[in-house]
Amino acid sequence: MTSETTPLRQLTLDQLRKRTSEKWRAHPGDVLPMFVAELDAPLAGPVVDAITEAVRRGDTGYPAGTAYAEALANFARDRWDFDGIAVDRTTMVPDVMSGIVEVLDVICGRTDAVVVNCPVYAPFYQVVGRTGRPIEEAPLGTDGRIDMTVLDDAFRRAARRGSRPAYLLCSPHNPTGSVHTADELAEVAALADRHGVRVVVDEIHAPLVLAGARFTPYLSVPGAENGFSVISASKAWNLAGLKAAVAVAGPAAVDDLARIPAWVNESPSHVGVLAHVAALRDGGGWLDALLADLDENRRLLARLLAEHLPAVRYRPGEGTYLAWLDCRALGLGDDPAATFLERGRVALSPGPVFGTGGAGHARFNLGTTPELVAEGVRRMAGALT
Ligand SMILES: Cc1ncc(COP(=O)(O)O)c(C=O)c1O
């Protein structure tokens, strides 16, 4: 069995501890890290080849051309039956979060509000807050999905605060792993149109949709023409250290796209772009194997929690490799991850940083080996004894 057939069954804890990225260096060596969204898998073969050959050539200058957008357009066509990524409606950006900042800067005024569905990826708050724009929260429903009535209300509040509000949609949703359906997204587009809200969708987890669900690109739904998608191969192929991403404008957003400064397109890592192109173009087999491993891991986690921590509620996500655990019944207060870390030496992401609805929750990273999923649960359970 190779990395191309079972990527999440290749590496031992000793091998992983040699890594020097955030996941493996943020905590002391006795802590099992299950927090930041890094994958405990070897890189896909085509990615390794692309990087190695670039380094051998000394090909480490600035990025050029449209290969990333083309690879993404082909991937979207093959995987999602979506033919709507036109290369001339894209720009490269260094990473998804900085791409979101660039897009917000051209579609919103300085003080216009940005709507988010909490609980949501914590940097949404930091990045929007840093631009000085207020946030309007539209909490997800108890089923972890977008509540259209709540969203309608948040759009109304946002529109009252300024004339060019935006909605930062996470699709699939981090941390719940919900995969928005085509109908939901069409409803979002209609609501946004009604309130004059521009939609920016973070689709970084799009390739990570597991068996039983289907990813719908936001720009493919009716009414989404003036939206933006910001997307990258970085999450699915573990390329966060090789910075590159793409912002895609809908057909009615090309004028906004044109206002993003031209130098932004040259600011990703060139080696990153080569790696991302290789992933999207030739890394499909590896991705399918990863998705199969993740499917097993989400079932394993559900089984282990039921056995060892039955009070923890877990609805296995349809996408992402993140598990959102409702630990409120454990009586550990707002931040159960603090107890798991202190007493169990396992680092989960603390729920409260995900905004309203995060208290009493913790996020567990399933992008690891089955052994470490089990060890993570063992340590969580051990923290309670
Ligand atoms: C929803 C979401 N957006 C963005 C990012 C970060 O992406 P980037 O490193 O490209 O800014 C992550 C990382 O986990 C994420 O989960």
Side-chain angles (χ1 to χ4, degrees):
M1 293 295 216
T2 68
S3 146
E4 303 296 311
T5 53
T6 53
L8 292 176
R9 285 158 194 260
Q10 302 302 317
L11 299 175
T12 64
L13 185 55
D14 282 348
Q15 286 172 313
L16 288 163
R17 287 212 186 273
K18 294 202 173 76
R19 289 186 171 179
T20 57
S21 58
E22 181 180 349
K23 185 171 188 196
W24 297 99
R25 284 295 179 269
H27 291 282
D30 66 326
V31 169
L32 182 67
M34 311 294 279
F35 68 113
V36 67
E38 297 182 17
L39 277 175
D40 294 344
L43 292 181
V47 172
V48 174
D49 292 346
I51 300 167
T52 310
E53 284 159 22
V55 171
R56 287 229 170 85
R57 286 195 301 271
D59 193 4
T60 51
Y62 294 104
T66 55
Y68 196 164
E70 282 160 34
L72 182 63
N74 288 333
F75 185 85
R77 209 173 284 121
D78 291 349
R79 291 258 161 180
W80 307 320
D81 277 332
F82 177 46
D83 203 17
I85 299 185
V87 170
D88 59 358
R89 280 192 276 107
T90 65
T91 179
M92 288 194 288
V93 289
D95 53 38
V96 166
M97 294 317 296
S98 59
I100 287 169
V101 171
E102 295 295 343
V103 172
L104 289 177
D105 279 351
V106 294
I107 63 172
C108 297
R110 276 275 142 221
T111 54
D112 287 311
V114 179
V115 175
V116 301
N117 293 123
C118 51
V120 73
Y121 180 58
F124 275 24
Y125 290 93
Q126 293 148 14
V127 158
V128 173
R130 179 113 195 262
T131 68
R133 298 184 177 100
I135 291 204
E136 284 291 351
E137 290 189 323
L140 295 173
T142 47
D143 56 357
R145 310 203 71 87
I146 300 171
D147 181 325
M148 297 299 165
T149 310
V150 169
L151 189 65
D152 187 30
D153 204 45
F155 283 178
R156 189 170 301 113
R157 290 196 310 274
R160 257 192 248 122
R161 295 181 84 145
S163 59
R164 293 199 292 152
Y167 172 37
L168 183 49
L169 168 64
C170 192
S171 178
H173 191 86
N174 172 2
T176 57
S178 315
V179 175
H180 312 301
T181 64
D183 285 350
E184 287 170 329
L185 294 172
E187 208 173 335
V188 162
L191 279 182
D193 183 53
R194 193 172 317 143
H195 292 285
V197 171
R198 298 290 296 277
V199 180
V200 184
V201 52
D202 174 340
E203 295 184 326
I204 196 167
H205 292 279
L208 293 162
V209 170
L210 307 184
R214 186 175 167 74
F215 175 71
T216 304
Y218 178 69
L219 294 178
S220 73
V221 303
E225 292 78 9
N226 71 355
F228 273 88
S229 157
V230 190
I231 189 165
S232 172
S234 66
K235 208 60 19 195
W237 284 272
N238 202 32
L239 304 175
L242 290 160
K243 285 213 175 266
V246 177
V248 186
V254 278
D255 291 348
D256 299 305
L257 181 77
R259 288 203 304 281
I260 295 180
W263 56 263
V264 171
N265 188 56
E266 289 165 29
S267 54
S269 152
H270 175 49
V271 179
V273 171
L274 296 173
H276 290 226
V277 169
L280 289 164
R281 201 181 49 206
D282 303 318
W286 183 93
L287 175 66
D288 286 335
L290 175 77
L291 296 176
D293 282 357
L294 288 173
D295 189 21
E296 286 192 25
N297 278 0
R298 68 178 166 167
R299 270 184 274 136
L300 174 66
L301 179 66
R303 191 162 54 71
L304 292 173
L305 288 173
E307 200 176 314
H308 302 288
L309 287 162
V312 172
R313 285 179 45 207
Y314 165 50
R315 184 187 305 109
E318 304 166 288
T320 80
Y321 48 81
L322 307 165
W324 185 235
L325 307 183
D326 178 350
C327 304
R328 285 175 292 182
L330 295 178
L332 300 177
D334 283 353
D335 185 8
T339 302
F340 296 137
L341 178 59
E342 227 171 87
R343 303 188 46 200
R345 310 309 283 159
V346 56
L348 275 64
S349 301
V353 303
F354 293 83
T356 301
H361 291 69
R363 196 191 71 178
F364 184 109
N365 179 348
L366 284 170
T368 189
T369 64
E371 290 74 24
L372 294 185
V373 170
E375 176 64 12
V377 174
R378 198 188 64 73
R379 289 180 182 224
M380 287 170 68
L384 304 180
T385 56

